[in-house]
Amino acid sequence: MKEIDITPTNPESDQPSDQPARDLRIAVIGKSELARVTYASFLAARGVEVSLMDASQLVLIDDLNLWPDLTFICDRLPVKRNGVQDESGLVKTCQQLLSSCATGICIRATMSIETTGKLIMALTKPAFDAKVVYFPETEDVEDTYGMATSSVQIVGGTEDAVKPLMNIISQTSTLSLRNVVSGTVFDAVYTQFGVQGIRTVKQKFFEQFNAAVLDLQNSNPILVRRMIESSGVLQETRSLTSTDMLTSDTVTRQDEDIRMFISGTDTMPILDSLIKSAE
C-alpha cells in the first residue's frame, strides 16, 4: 500500500461564476459510535450541510430531493452464526444511493472479502470503481477519542475516487489524516483484517504471558512487560517476514527458546499451538 498525497483544492473552483454556490451535502448513515464521530467531525465546517440518519430515512431525502454529495456508511454489518456477513442491507443502500443521485459513497463499516465481491457484482465494477471508497476504522469503535485521532488511516479505492474524498475530509472534517495509506479496496480489506489480527494476537499473547510469569514466579510481569516494550521488538518488521526467509539456525534457536519457556507452564496455549503446528 502507498501513502497518499493529499493536496488541498478549492471546492468552489468547479462552481460556475454565474451560479450561487450551495453547501456541500454530507450524509452519515448509522447509529453506532463511529457514525456519531464521523458526523460530529463535520459540524464545525463552513459550507457543509451534514446529517445523521438511518438507512430507512433515505426515502425522506428522496421526497425532498435533498440527496447528498457524499455519503458515509458506518454501522457494522450483521454477521451470521457461520461467520459470514449479511451484506444485503449494504447492497440495498448503495444501490438506492447510486440509482437516485451522483453521491460518492465512503464505507466505514468493516467489509469481508466476500461482501466486497458481492457489492462489486451488484453495483457493477465501473460504478464501484468510480463511486465507492473503503475507509474502515482501525481503532476501538467504542473509543470516541481514538477514532477521531487515529494514528493511521487505511483507504481503499481508485485514485479518482480516493483523492476527492481525502480533499473533502482534509478541508471540512476534524478527522485525523496523519498517516494515510491507500491501495485497492481489496488491499484495504486485507490490511484491516491484518491489523486487527495482529492486535488480537498481541493482546492474547501478553494476557497469557503475564499469567505464565505469575505461574513460574520470581518476577513482576508488569516490569517484564515494560522491558519487552523498551527492547523495540514490538516495532520490528522482521517478524512480518516468512520463516522461510530466516536461516535454519535462527528458526531452531527460536523454537528451542519457546520450548524451554513453555515446558514449565500450561498458561501459554498460543505458543504451544504454534510449536505443535511446526512439528
Side-chain angles (χ1 to χ4, degrees):
M1 301 183 80
K2 61 181 180 180
E3 292 188 359
I4 187 168
D5 174 34
I6 304 173
T7 304
T9 58
N10 183 356
E12 298 180 357
S13 61
D14 296 331
Q15 292 283 349
S17 58
D18 58 343
Q19 293 184 10
R22 68 167 177 81
D23 288 349
L24 178 71
R25 293 190 188 126
I26 295 178
V28 180
I29 297 177
K31 300 178 180 178
S32 63
E33 196 64 32
L34 176 59
R36 286 188 283 272
V37 168
T38 303
Y39 165 74
S41 73
F42 290 98
L43 290 178
R46 297 179 60 184
V48 174
E49 179 184 331
V50 59
S51 55
L52 179 65
M53 65 183 66
D54 184 79
S56 61
Q57 294 177 282
L58 289 177
V59 65
L60 301 178
I61 294 179
D62 194 19
D63 293 339
L64 297 173
N65 194 29
L66 294 174
W67 287 99
D69 303 297
L70 175 62
T71 304
F72 291 86
I73 300 176
C74 299
D75 275 353
R76 286 185 65 84
L77 306 183
V79 178
K80 303 173 185 177
R81 288 187 176 182
N82 60 359
V84 176
Q85 273 186 328
D86 179 359
E87 78 290 338
S88 57
L90 174 65
V91 170
K92 180 180 177 181
T93 298
C94 290
Q95 287 178 326
Q96 188 175 2
L97 286 166
L98 294 185
S99 66
S100 303
C101 62
T103 184
I105 298 175
C106 179
I107 300 174
R108 305 216 65 196
T110 298
M111 292 195 300
S112 69
I113 301 300
E114 294 79 5
T115 292
T116 305
K118 290 178 180 179
L119 187 59
I120 292 173
M121 290 176 60
L123 302 182
T124 73
K125 193 171 190 309
F128 182 89
D129 288 345
K131 293 294 184 179
V132 177
V133 173
Y134 183 48
F135 184 26
E137 179 53 58
T138 59
E139 300 296 325
D140 182 353
V141 292
E142 298 300 324
D143 180 3
T144 302
Y145 178 77
M147 286 187 287
T149 60
S150 300
S151 58
V152 62
Q153 292 74 37
I154 301 168
V155 182
T158 63
E159 185 174 353
D160 289 342
V162 169
K163 196 162 186 178
L165 171 68
M166 293 295 100
N167 280 325
I168 289 174
I169 293 177
S170 67
Q171 295 175 60
T172 63
S173 168
T174 57
L175 291 174
S176 172
L177 292 177
R178 283 183 290 169
N179 181 20
V180 180
V181 291
S182 69
T184 68
V185 171
F186 280 111
D187 290 339
V189 171
Y190 280 115
T191 301
Q192 169 74 349
F193 285 129
V195 168
Q196 301 300 3
I198 289 171
R199 283 179 173 165
T200 300
V201 170
K202 285 170 63 177
Q203 289 168 348
K204 183 59 67 176
F205 171 83
F206 278 104
E207 177 184 304
Q208 295 180 8
F209 183 78
N210 289 346
V213 174
L214 290 173
D215 184 40
L216 295 170
Q217 302 179 349
N218 300 315
S219 188
N220 183 336
I222 295 177
L223 296 179
V224 173
R225 179 178 61 82
R226 293 192 188 283
M227 290 176 69
I228 293 173
E229 290 175 347
S230 299
S231 73
V233 68
L234 296 179
Q235 285 74 46
E236 281 186 0
T237 57
R238 189 184 70 170
S239 59
L240 302 179
T241 61
S242 168
T243 54
D244 293 337
M245 299 179 67
L246 303 177
T247 65
S248 58
D249 288 343
T250 299
V251 174
T252 299
R253 179 168 54 81
Q254 288 178 345
D255 286 351
E256 287 179 347
D257 289 351
I258 301 260
R259 289 176 190 275
M260 281 190 291
F261 177 55
I262 64 176
S263 65
T265 181
D266 59 359
T267 62
M268 295 214 66
I270 190 170
L271 289 181
D272 191 42
S273 63
L274 287 174
I275 291 298
K276 288 181 178 178
S277 66
E279 293 177 345

